[in-house]
Amino acid sequence: MPLPDCVALLLQGGGALGSYQAGVYQELDRNGINVDWVAGISIGAVNAAIIAGNPPERRVERLRSFWDRVSAGLPDIWFLPTDGVREVAHLAAASAVTMFGVPGFFQPHFLPTLMAQPGSASATSLYDSSPLIGTLNAHVDWDLLNDGPVRLSVGAVDVESGNFVYFDTHGPDRVRIDHRHILASGALPPGLPAIPIDGRHYWDGGLVSNTPLAHVLDHQQGDMLIFQVDLFPAEGPLPLELTDVWSRMKDIQYSSRTRNVTDQYLARMKLAHAVERLLAKLPPDMHDAPEVERLRAMIPEGAVNIVHLIYRSREWESGARDFEFSRATMNDHWLQGKDAVSAILHKGDLIARNILSGKSAAFDLQARDHMKEKTT
């Protein structure tokens, strides 16, 4: 597949579902698709940091090491391959995480919340996220992350102002990212504490937007191919039971209207093309008019093709799927991510045609041999 100036990998938040993103990256890497820009929220920020903070030949190995570490407390035990048995095992594993936390990620506070000093991390959260600091330091080269070739963007929300903030290693507002920025992006209350950075406190960016798509599109320069990896589908069936309501509620809350952002971008590109055609019809003596120059400067440069890769929940998974860190489920998510990329590349000729023609479009895989395309 021919590649444009920039290939971007965008990773939603979704806790334990993040191993799906690792599988996506592994398959992209296996097919020789190099990522120039990786942006993430919450667990997506963790995966993004590992990708940007390692040389290409070590990224998959480091992703596997991280996910093996955080799933070590609930090893891969063989269960009978029936949905009923898997559902029981799934809920039991999620319950264990609730009680004991996740190795190398978070753990219950030593002091109960009601006994803690007001304003402290123990008083304002249920778990201590400091174990993640050591895990990140063991898996990320921070100098490479900040000074290397891959751009990294992670999103968080300022607790006091409510403003959404991106920490970015490139651009005019670049910052030097360390473990604090990654922890901040994943500090989902009330489970995890706010993270202080330079006098401000930050929570999980998913509270405002669980996808970095708008940020990347707002900073587009030249032609782009975007792989948008969503861990919560916007569309889903009508719930039939209370457990279904819990699961569907999370889908709607954290899907963050990815398709809506995409549709708005494509509509904006259609308008830009219409303006371009109109400007071309102006008489020569108007081409350099200030008003025309300002209008021309507002037209985006380059085409963008967006490929949606969306995690689809298993029948046995519940609303607890984002904090069920068993090894068996982690491996299942990882494999689904690899399969999703294989299915997309199976229809890669459609994407390649757009890249070569300079046309913007969004692709949504619905089945292995059926890919829906929206174009400008």
Side-chain angles (χ1 to χ4, degrees), residues 67-280:
W67 284 100
D68 282 348
R69 173 75 178 113
V70 298
S71 63
L74 297 161
D76 189 356
I77 300 173
W78 177 256
F79 296 105
L80 294 175
T82 64
D83 285 349
V85 173
R86 272 315 289 270
E87 182 176 4
V88 171
H90 161 71
L91 292 173
S95 297
V97 168
T98 302
M99 290 185 290
F100 305 113
V102 174
F105 200 153
F106 60 87
Q107 62 193 17
H109 288 296
F110 177 74
L111 280 178
T113 297
L114 294 178
M115 296 176 59
Q117 181 179 356
S120 66
S122 297
T124 55
S125 62
L126 301 174
Y127 300 96
D128 172 14
S129 59
S130 63
L132 183 56
I133 298 174
T135 304
L136 285 172
N137 288 338
H139 290 84
V140 176
D141 179 336
W142 298 107
D143 288 333
L144 178 62
L145 180 148
N146 285 285
D147 303 322
V150 177
R151 179 174 183 174
L152 173 66
S153 307
V154 298
V157 59
D158 187 303
V159 177
E160 293 172 280
S161 71
N163 292 334
F164 195 77
V165 177
Y166 270 97
F167 304 114
D168 203 317
T169 58
H170 287 61
D173 300 320
R174 65 180 300 172
V175 298
R176 194 157 189 88
I177 290 177
D178 56 40
H179 69 266
R180 298 171 301 163
H181 303 87
I182 309 304
L183 263 66
S185 183
L188 184 64
L192 301 178
I195 302 299
I197 302 175
D198 299 332
R200 308 298 298 180
H201 289 76
Y202 297 93
W203 271 336
D204 193 311
L207 293 173
V208 176
S209 176
N210 201 32
T211 176
L213 180 58
H215 174 74
V216 170
L217 291 176
D218 287 344
H219 294 80
Q220 173 200 351
Q221 292 182 341
D223 295 338
M224 293 185 70
L225 172 60
I226 295 175
F227 291 94
Q228 168 67 47
V229 188
D230 289 356
L231 300 180
F232 296 93
E235 298 177 355
L238 184 70
L240 301 179
E241 300 176 352
L242 195 57
T243 54
D244 299 332
V245 172
W246 182 27
S247 179
R248 186 70 193 120
M249 179 190 73
K250 282 192 173 182
D251 286 343
I252 294 171
Q253 181 179 3
Y254 292 119
S255 64
S256 291
R257 304 172 300 283
T258 298
R259 285 196 181 96
N260 186 45
V261 174
T262 303
D263 290 345
Q264 287 182 5
Y265 173 78
L266 294 177
R268 192 164 76 241
M269 290 298 292
K270 285 182 179 179
L271 178 61
H273 293 329
V275 170
E276 259 185 325
R277 291 192 293 270
L278 179 62
L279 293 179

Side-chain angles (χ1 to χ4, degrees), residues 204-367:
D204 193 311
L207 293 173
V208 176
S209 176
N210 201 32
T211 176
L213 180 58
H215 174 74
V216 170
L217 291 176
D218 287 344
H219 294 80
Q220 173 200 351
Q221 292 182 341
D223 295 338
M224 293 185 70
L225 172 60
I226 295 175
F227 291 94
Q228 168 67 47
V229 188
D230 289 356
L231 300 180
F232 296 93
E235 298 177 355
L238 184 70
L240 301 179
E241 300 176 352
L242 195 57
T243 54
D244 299 332
V245 172
W246 182 27
S247 179
R248 186 70 193 120
M249 179 190 73
K250 282 192 173 182
D251 286 343
I252 294 171
Q253 181 179 3
Y254 292 119
S255 64
S256 291
R257 304 172 300 283
T258 298
R259 285 196 181 96
N260 186 45
V261 174
T262 303
D263 290 345
Q264 287 182 5
Y265 173 78
L266 294 177
R268 192 164 76 241
M269 290 298 292
K270 285 182 179 179
L271 178 61
H273 293 329
V275 170
E276 259 185 325
R277 291 192 293 270
L278 179 62
L279 293 179
K281 295 179 179 180
L282 293 175
D285 62 323
M286 295 185 63
H287 284 182
D288 296 328
E291 296 85 356
V292 173
E293 289 295 328
R294 284 196 295 270
L295 194 58
R296 189 176 289 117
M298 296 171 64
I299 299 173
E301 294 183 6
V304 175
N305 283 276
I306 304 169
V307 178
H308 284 154
L309 298 166
I310 307 171
Y311 175 74
R312 308 292 181 183
S313 298
R314 301 294 196 188
E315 288 291 328
W316 45 265
E317 287 186 300
S318 69
R321 62 189 180 277
D322 55 331
F323 58 93
E324 198 266 86
F325 282 82
S326 71
R327 180 67 58 81
T329 301
M330 182 275 287
N331 287 329
D332 183 65
H333 294 159
W334 190 298
L335 182 60
Q336 286 186 71
K338 292 176 60 179
D339 289 345
V341 174
S342 295
I344 280 287
L345 297 183
H346 180 70
K347 289 292 184 178
D349 56 318
L350 297 177
I351 305 170
R353 194 182 311 147
N354 272 19
I355 293 172
L356 292 172
S357 66
K359 184 172 67 172
S360 294
F363 300 90
D364 186 0
L365 183 72
Q366 296 181 318

